[in-house]
Amino acid sequence: MKKLVLGISLFMILFSCSNKENHTAIEEKTTQNIEYSNVLKDTVLLDFDIMKVKVIFESDSILKWNVIDDDLVDFQTEKSQTLHLNKHSVITTWVETETDGDHITQFADFENNVVASVIRKKDGTIFTVSGTISKNE
């Protein structure tokens, strides 16, 4: 229980530190009735202002990702940890072991179609991005 409270508290602190521009995507959300369990093993599109990412949540401990219009052709597979907030929302964290070593903590709300990530680069810089989630067609 302490880990859950600490995880949620840490995420809320990091999420609240994002700049005002990043809140635009969250304010433009579209409600849908999609549960996290409904997207497992499916490809979803995360549309951030600075990039678009395809993600496959294989399980609570493995995800695959690929940045669209990047040099990465194949999906990268990462070990991850997922914290379930409710049936629609999760916080997932992973380290990009196959590429540049970035550490990502990401909040995904599949009911409200929003995603927000805190990214810690290997050099120690930290930034946030937010955007929308859609099923990849």
Side-chain angles (χ1 to χ4, degrees):
M1 185 64 174
K2 285 183 181 179
K3 286 183 180 180
L4 173 63
V5 172
L6 179 60
I8 293 171
S9 298
L10 175 62
F11 178 75
M12 295 309 288
I13 290 168
L14 293 173
F15 185 69
S16 66
C17 292
S18 65
N19 64 36
K20 190 152 183 101
E21 289 176 16
N22 289 339
H23 293 291
T24 305
I26 293 174
E27 292 166 3
E28 297 170 2
K29 65 186 177 187
T30 333
T31 301
Q32 39 189 16
N33 194 21
I34 297 177
E35 296 181 12
Y36 170 72
S37 61
N38 297 128
V39 299
L40 285 174
K41 302 196 185 293
D42 284 344
T43 303
V44 294
L45 178 66
L46 308 180
D47 188 353
F48 300 105
D49 287 338
I50 61 172
M51 69 185 139
K52 292 183 181 183
V53 181
K54 288 182 183 177
V55 175
I56 302 171
F57 294 93
E58 287 288 321
S59 67
D60 284 348
S61 60
I62 296 180
L63 67 80
K64 295 180 178 181
W65 64 276
N66 190 355
V67 176
I68 298 174
D69 296 329
D70 201 351
D71 292 337
L72 294 174
V73 176
D74 298 323
F75 275 86
Q76 307 302 301
T77 301
E78 310 292 357
K79 291 181 181 180
S80 62
Q81 289 290 315
T82 300
L83 174 66
H84 295 258
L85 301 177
N86 57 45
K87 63 185 178 179
H88 300 283
S89 302
V90 295
I91 296 174
T92 303
T93 188
W94 69 95
V95 174
E96 293 177 348
T97 56
E98 295 189 28
T99 56
D100 51 15
D102 293 350
H103 178 235
I104 292 92
T105 300
Q106 178 173 276
F107 168 75
D109 180 343
F110 296 97
E111 180 178 33
N112 294 303
N113 196 37
V114 295
V115 61
S117 301
V118 177
I119 301 163
R120 183 183 185 278
K121 303 292 285 176
K122 192 173 183 178
D123 68 5
T125 59
I126 298 173
F127 66 96
T128 62
V129 292
S130 61
T132 58
I133 303 170
S134 60
K135 288 271 238 173
N136 193 37
E137 300 299 326

mmCIF file of all heavy atoms in Angstrom, residues 79-110:
data_model
loop_
_atom_site.group_PDB
_atom_site.id
_atom_site.type_symbol
_atom_site.label_atom_id
_atom_site.label_comp_id
_atom_site.label_asym_id
_atom_site.label_seq_id
_atom_site.Cartn_x
_atom_site.Cartn_y
_atom_site.Cartn_z
ATOM 1 N N LYS A 79 11.207 -4.143 -20.639
ATOM 2 C CA LYS A 79 10.617 -4.613 -19.386
ATOM 3 C C LYS A 79 9.994 -3.397 -18.723
ATOM 4 O O LYS A 79 10.581 -2.310 -18.711
ATOM 5 C CB LYS A 79 11.681 -5.213 -18.475
ATOM 6 C CG LYS A 79 12.236 -6.511 -18.983
ATOM 7 C CD LYS A 79 13.268 -7.067 -18.020
ATOM 8 C CE LYS A 79 13.837 -8.358 -18.558
ATOM 9 N NZ LYS A 79 14.846 -8.925 -17.656
ATOM 10 N N SER A 80 8.792 -3.572 -18.184
ATOM 11 C CA SER A 80 8.091 -2.443 -17.582
ATOM 12 C C SER A 80 7.409 -2.878 -16.293
ATOM 13 O O SER A 80 7.316 -4.064 -15.998
ATOM 14 C CB SER A 80 7.043 -1.894 -18.563
ATOM 15 O OG SER A 80 6.073 -2.887 -18.857
ATOM 16 N N GLN A 81 6.950 -1.900 -15.548
ATOM 17 C CA GLN A 81 6.121 -2.123 -14.361
ATOM 18 C C GLN A 81 4.870 -1.276 -14.525
ATOM 19 O O GLN A 81 4.964 -0.100 -14.885
ATOM 20 C CB GLN A 81 6.855 -1.717 -13.083
ATOM 21 C CG GLN A 81 7.981 -2.645 -12.706
ATOM 22 C CD GLN A 81 7.475 -3.994 -12.249
ATOM 23 O OE1 GLN A 81 6.537 -4.088 -11.469
ATOM 24 N NE2 GLN A 81 8.091 -5.044 -12.755
ATOM 25 N N THR A 82 3.717 -1.873 -14.261
ATOM 26 C CA THR A 82 2.458 -1.155 -14.429
ATOM 27 C C THR A 82 1.693 -1.133 -13.117
ATOM 28 O O THR A 82 1.523 -2.165 -12.470
ATOM 29 C CB THR A 82 1.598 -1.812 -15.529
ATOM 30 O OG1 THR A 82 2.332 -1.777 -16.755
ATOM 31 C CG2 THR A 82 0.279 -1.077 -15.718
ATOM 32 N N LEU A 83 1.238 0.041 -12.757
ATOM 33 C CA LEU A 83 0.422 0.259 -11.569
ATOM 34 C C LEU A 83 -0.991 0.574 -12.035
ATOM 35 O O LEU A 83 -1.199 1.526 -12.794
ATOM 36 C CB LEU A 83 1.001 1.434 -10.760
ATOM 37 C CG LEU A 83 0.220 1.917 -9.550
ATOM 38 C CD1 LEU A 83 0.194 0.837 -8.477
ATOM 39 C CD2 LEU A 83 0.854 3.191 -9.011
ATOM 40 N N HIS A 84 -1.958 -0.227 -11.631
ATOM 41 C CA HIS A 84 -3.357 -0.016 -12.019
ATOM 42 C C HIS A 84 -4.015 0.956 -11.047
ATOM 43 O O HIS A 84 -4.103 0.680 -9.853
ATOM 44 C CB HIS A 84 -4.113 -1.345 -12.010
ATOM 45 C CG HIS A 84 -3.625 -2.307 -13.036
ATOM 46 N ND1 HIS A 84 -4.287 -2.532 -14.212
ATOM 47 C CD2 HIS A 84 -2.509 -3.082 -13.080
ATOM 48 C CE1 HIS A 84 -3.624 -3.406 -14.938
ATOM 49 N NE2 HIS A 84 -2.522 -3.755 -14.266
ATOM 50 N N LEU A 85 -4.468 2.091 -11.551
ATOM 51 C CA LEU A 85 -5.170 3.065 -10.717
ATOM 52 C C LEU A 85 -6.652 2.722 -10.643
ATOM 53 O O LEU A 85 -7.293 2.883 -9.616
ATOM 54 C CB LEU A 85 -4.976 4.472 -11.268
ATOM 55 C CG LEU A 85 -3.521 4.929 -11.365
ATOM 56 C CD1 LEU A 85 -3.441 6.307 -11.998
ATOM 57 C CD2 LEU A 85 -2.858 4.904 -10.003
ATOM 58 N N ASN A 86 -7.216 2.285 -11.765
ATOM 59 C CA ASN A 86 -8.575 1.775 -11.864
ATOM 60 C C ASN A 86 -8.646 0.987 -13.167
ATOM 61 O O ASN A 86 -7.619 0.781 -13.809
ATOM 62 C CB ASN A 86 -9.627 2.903 -11.793
ATOM 63 C CG ASN A 86 -9.431 3.954 -12.862
ATOM 64 O OD1 ASN A 86 -9.205 3.644 -14.030
ATOM 65 N ND2 ASN A 86 -9.490 5.221 -12.469
ATOM 66 N N LYS A 87 -9.825 0.562 -13.592
ATOM 67 C CA LYS A 87 -9.889 -0.286 -14.787
ATOM 68 C C LYS A 87 -9.577 0.462 -16.077
ATOM 69 O O LYS A 87 -9.320 -0.154 -17.111
ATOM 70 C CB LYS A 87 -11.244 -0.981 -14.881
ATOM 71 C CG LYS A 87 -12.426 -0.062 -15.025
ATOM 72 C CD LYS A 87 -13.721 -0.850 -14.986
ATOM 73 C CE LYS A 87 -14.907 0.091 -15.075
ATOM 74 N NZ LYS A 87 -16.158 -0.653 -15.053
ATOM 75 N N HIS A 88 -9.563 1.790 -16.036
ATOM 76 C CA HIS A 88 -9.293 2.597 -17.227
ATOM 77 C C HIS A 88 -7.914 3.244 -17.232
ATOM 78 O O HIS A 88 -7.433 3.646 -18.284
ATOM 79 C CB HIS A 88 -10.327 3.729 -17.359
ATOM 80 C CG HIS A 88 -11.728 3.240 -17.470
ATOM 81 N ND1 HIS A 88 -12.242 2.719 -18.623
ATOM 82 C CD2 HIS A 88 -12.729 3.210 -16.565
ATOM 83 C CE1 HIS A 88 -13.500 2.379 -18.440
ATOM 84 N NE2 HIS A 88 -13.816 2.667 -17.194
ATOM 85 N N SER A 89 -7.270 3.390 -16.070
ATOM 86 C CA SER A 89 -6.046 4.186 -15.965
ATOM 87 C C SER A 89 -4.907 3.404 -15.333
ATOM 88 O O SER A 89 -5.105 2.677 -14.362
ATOM 89 C CB SER A 89 -6.295 5.436 -15.115
ATOM 90 O OG SER A 89 -7.327 6.200 -15.673
ATOM 91 N N VAL A 90 -3.707 3.606 -15.909
ATOM 92 C CA VAL A 90 -2.509 2.945 -15.398
ATOM 93 C C VAL A 90 -1.338 3.916 -15.415
ATOM 94 O O VAL A 90 -1.336 4.902 -16.154
ATOM 95 C CB VAL A 90 -2.139 1.696 -16.234
ATOM 96 C CG1 VAL A 90 -3.195 0.611 -16.125
ATOM 97 C CG2 VAL A 90 -1.866 2.044 -17.684
ATOM 98 N N ILE A 91 -0.355 3.626 -14.587
ATOM 99 C CA ILE A 91 0.939 4.284 -14.645
ATOM 100 C C ILE A 91 1.940 3.187 -14.977
ATOM 101 O O ILE A 91 1.994 2.163 -14.290
ATOM 102 C CB ILE A 91 1.319 4.965 -13.320
ATOM 103 C CG1 ILE A 91 0.343 6.097 -13.003
ATOM 104 C CG2 ILE A 91 2.754 5.487 -13.385
ATOM 105 C CD1 ILE A 91 0.554 6.726 -11.642
ATOM 106 N N THR A 92 2.694 3.384 -16.048
ATOM 107 C CA THR A 92 3.679 2.398 -16.479
ATOM 108 C C THR A 92 5.041 3.076 -16.511
ATOM 109 O O THR A 92 5.160 4.226 -16.913
ATOM 110 C CB THR A 92 3.332 1.861 -17.885
ATOM 111 O OG1 THR A 92 2.011 1.312 -17.859
ATOM 112 C CG2 THR A 92 4.304 0.780 -18.314
ATOM 113 N N THR A 93 6.053 2.341 -16.079
ATOM 114 C CA THR A 93 7.404 2.888 -16.092
ATOM 115 C C THR A 93 8.359 1.872 -16.717
ATOM 116 O O THR A 93 8.168 0.668 -16.580
ATOM 117 C CB THR A 93 7.862 3.294 -14.670
ATOM 118 O OG1 THR A 93 9.105 3.979 -14.753
ATOM 119 C CG2 THR A 93 7.964 2.114 -13.748
ATOM 120 N N TRP A 94 9.341 2.381 -17.450
ATOM 121 C CA TRP A 94 10.341 1.527 -18.082
ATOM 122 C C TRP A 94 11.584 2.337 -18.418
ATOM 123 O O TRP A 94 11.558 3.549 -18.421
ATOM 124 C CB TRP A 94 9.785 0.848 -19.335
ATOM 125 C CG TRP A 94 9.512 1.754 -20.494
ATOM 126 C CD1 TRP A 94 10.357 2.016 -21.541
ATOM 127 C CD2 TRP A 94 8.335 2.526 -20.745
ATOM 128 N NE1 TRP A 94 9.764 2.901 -22.421
ATOM 129 C CE2 TRP A 94 8.513 3.220 -21.955
ATOM 130 C CE3 TRP A 94 7.128 2.700 -20.066
ATOM 131 C CZ2 TRP A 94 7.554 4.070 -22.488
ATOM 132 C CZ3 TRP A 94 6.166 3.543 -20.602
ATOM 133 C CH2 TRP A 94 6.397 4.210 -21.798
ATOM 134 N N VAL A 95 12.671 1.609 -18.694
ATOM 135 C CA VAL A 95 13.918 2.209 -19.161
ATOM 136 C C VAL A 95 14.137 1.702 -20.579
ATOM 137 O O VAL A 95 14.033 0.500 -20.848
ATOM 138 C CB VAL A 95 15.112 1.821 -18.261
ATOM 139 C CG1 VAL A 95 16.420 2.347 -18.851
ATOM 140 C CG2 VAL A 95 14.905 2.342 -16.851
ATOM 141 N N GLU A 96 14.425 2.603 -21.480
ATOM 142 C CA GLU A 96 14.651 2.228 -22.875
ATOM 143 C C GLU A 96 16.017 1.555 -22.992
ATOM 144 O O GLU A 96 17.021 2.182 -23.295
ATOM 145 C CB GLU A 96 14.567 3.454 -23.782
ATOM 146 C CG GLU A 96 13.181 4.041 -23.836
ATOM 147 C CD GLU A 96 13.099 5.299 -24.677
ATOM 148 O OE1 GLU A 96 14.158 5.861 -25.047
ATOM 149 O OE2 GLU A 96 11.975 5.724 -24.962
ATOM 150 N N THR A 97 16.037 0.263 -22.759
ATOM 151 C CA THR A 97 17.298 -0.479 -22.746
ATOM 152 C C THR A 97 17.854 -0.714 -24.140
ATOM 153 O O THR A 97 19.061 -0.847 -24.313
ATOM 154 C CB THR A 97 17.129 -1.831 -22.043
ATOM 155 O OG1 THR A 97 16.078 -2.562 -22.681
ATOM 156 C CG2 THR A 97 16.794 -1.634 -20.573
ATOM 157 N N GLU A 98 16.985 -0.779 -25.142
ATOM 158 C CA GLU A 98 17.449 -1.083 -26.494
ATOM 159 C C GLU A 98 17.903 0.152 -27.268
ATOM 160 O O GLU A 98 18.459 0.043 -28.342
ATOM 161 C CB GLU A 98 16.352 -1.802 -27.276
ATOM 162 C CG GLU A 98 16.023 -3.175 -26.701
ATOM 163 C CD GLU A 98 15.097 -3.963 -27.598
ATOM 164 O OE1 GLU A 98 15.111 -3.750 -28.820
ATOM 165 O OE2 GLU A 98 14.361 -4.802 -27.062
ATOM 166 N N THR A 99 17.623 1.346 -26.749
ATOM 167 C CA THR A 99 18.016 2.560 -27.478
ATOM 168 C C THR A 99 18.926 3.428 -26.625
ATOM 169 O O THR A 99 20.086 3.118 -26.449
ATOM 170 C CB THR A 99 16.773 3.354 -27.941
ATOM 171 O OG1 THR A 99 15.954 3.650 -26.805
ATOM 172 C CG2 THR A 99 15.973 2.573 -28.968
ATOM 173 N N ASP A 100 18.400 4.512 -26.067
ATOM 174 C CA ASP A 100 19.273 5.504 -25.433
ATOM 175 C C ASP A 100 19.254 5.544 -23.907
ATOM 176 O O ASP A 100 19.854 6.419 -23.317
ATOM 177 C CB ASP A 100 18.959 6.889 -25.988
ATOM 178 C CG ASP A 100 17.484 7.231 -25.936
ATOM 179 O OD1 ASP A 100 16.734 6.528 -25.227
ATOM 180 O OD2 ASP A 100 17.074 8.184 -26.606
ATOM 181 N N GLY A 101 18.567 4.619 -23.252
ATOM 182 C CA GLY A 101 18.600 4.559 -21.797
ATOM 183 C C GLY A 101 17.697 5.539 -21.082
ATOM 184 O O GLY A 101 17.825 5.726 -19.874
ATOM 185 N N ASP A 102 16.765 6.180 -21.801
ATOM 186 C CA ASP A 102 15.825 7.094 -21.148
ATOM 187 C C ASP A 102 14.915 6.307 -20.196
ATOM 188 O O ASP A 102 14.583 5.151 -20.448
ATOM 189 C CB ASP A 102 14.948 7.804 -22.177
ATOM 190 C CG ASP A 102 15.724 8.758 -23.059
ATOM 191 O OD1 ASP A 102 16.904 9.022 -22.763
ATOM 192 O OD2 ASP A 102 15.144 9.231 -24.053
ATOM 193 N N HIS A 103 14.516 6.974 -19.100
ATOM 194 C CA HIS A 103 13.572 6.390 -18.154
ATOM 195 C C HIS A 103 12.246 7.112 -18.319
ATOM 196 O O HIS A 103 12.199 8.340 -18.222
ATOM 197 C CB HIS A 103 14.087 6.521 -16.722
ATOM 198 C CG HIS A 103 13.144 5.976 -15.718
ATOM 199 N ND1 HIS A 103 12.685 6.708 -14.671
ATOM 200 C CD2 HIS A 103 12.531 4.761 -15.613
ATOM 201 C CE1 HIS A 103 11.849 5.979 -13.945
ATOM 202 N NE2 HIS A 103 11.743 4.793 -14.503
ATOM 203 N N ILE A 104 11.188 6.374 -18.574
ATOM 204 C CA ILE A 104 9.872 6.973 -18.814
ATOM 205 C C ILE A 104 8.892 6.496 -17.754
ATOM 206 O O ILE A 104 8.837 5.301 -17.440
ATOM 207 C CB ILE A 104 9.319 6.586 -20.216
ATOM 208 C CG1 ILE A 104 10.145 7.236 -21.329
ATOM 209 C CG2 ILE A 104 7.870 7.030 -20.382
ATOM 210 C CD1 ILE A 104 11.232 6.418 -21.819
ATOM 211 N N THR A 105 8.134 7.429 -17.195
ATOM 212 C CA THR A 105 6.995 7.125 -16.339
ATOM 213 C C THR A 105 5.795 7.742 -17.025
ATOM 214 O O THR A 105 5.793 8.947 -17.309
ATOM 215 C CB THR A 105 7.181 7.703 -14.925
ATOM 216 O OG1 THR A 105 8.357 7.128 -14.358
ATOM 217 C CG2 THR A 105 5.981 7.396 -14.042
ATOM 218 N N GLN A 106 4.799 6.900 -17.318
ATOM 219 C CA GLN A 106 3.700 7.349 -18.161
ATOM 220 C C GLN A 106 2.338 7.046 -17.544
ATOM 221 O O GLN A 106 2.086 5.924 -17.111
ATOM 222 C CB GLN A 106 3.808 6.634 -19.510
ATOM 223 C CG GLN A 106 2.717 6.953 -20.484
ATOM 224 C CD GLN A 106 3.043 6.327 -21.806
ATOM 225 O OE1 GLN A 106 3.771 6.898 -22.589
ATOM 226 N NE2 GLN A 106 2.518 5.147 -22.050
ATOM 227 N N PHE A 107 1.484 8.042 -17.508
ATOM 228 C CA PHE A 107 0.093 7.898 -17.081
ATOM 229 C C PHE A 107 -0.762 7.771 -18.330
ATOM 230 O O PHE A 107 -0.657 8.590 -19.247
ATOM 231 C CB PHE A 107 -0.340 9.138 -16.277
ATOM 232 C CG PHE A 107 -1.822 9.200 -16.039
ATOM 233 C CD1 PHE A 107 -2.419 8.375 -15.101
ATOM 234 C CD2 PHE A 107 -2.610 10.082 -16.752
ATOM 235 C CE1 PHE A 107 -3.786 8.439 -14.880
ATOM 236 C CE2 PHE A 107 -3.969 10.156 -16.540
ATOM 237 C CZ PHE A 107 -4.566 9.328 -15.600
ATOM 238 N N ALA A 108 -1.576 6.717 -18.402
ATOM 239 C CA ALA A 108 -2.479 6.529 -19.535
ATOM 240 C C ALA A 108 -3.890 6.341 -19.019
ATOM 241 O O ALA A 108 -4.142 5.487 -18.168
ATOM 242 C CB ALA A 108 -2.055 5.329 -20.359
ATOM 243 N N ASP A 109 -4.800 7.163 -19.513
ATOM 244 C CA ASP A 109 -6.212 7.089 -19.152
ATOM 245 C C ASP A 109 -6.987 6.756 -20.424
ATOM 246 O O ASP A 109 -7.217 7.617 -21.270
ATOM 247 C CB ASP A 109 -6.669 8.426 -18.567
ATOM 248 C CG ASP A 109 -8.135 8.444 -18.154
ATOM 249 O OD1 ASP A 109 -8.894 7.562 -18.586
ATOM 250 O OD2 ASP A 109 -8.512 9.360 -17.412
ATOM 251 N N PHE A 110 -7.355 5.492 -20.570
ATOM 252 C CA PHE A 110 -8.007 5.021 -21.786
ATOM 253 C C PHE A 110 -9.476 5.430 -21.858
ATOM 254 O O PHE A 110 -10.056 5.443 -22.934
ATOM 255 C CB PHE A 110 -7.856 3.508 -21.907
ATOM 256 C CG PHE A 110 -6.424 3.096 -22.059
ATOM 257 C CD1 PHE A 110 -5.679 2.672 -20.967
ATOM 258 C CD2 PHE A 110 -5.797 3.177 -23.289
ATOM 259 C CE1 PHE A 110 -4.346 2.320 -21.107
ATOM 260 C CE2 PHE A 110 -4.458 2.832 -23.448
ATOM 261 C CZ PHE A 110 -3.741 2.407 -22.344
#
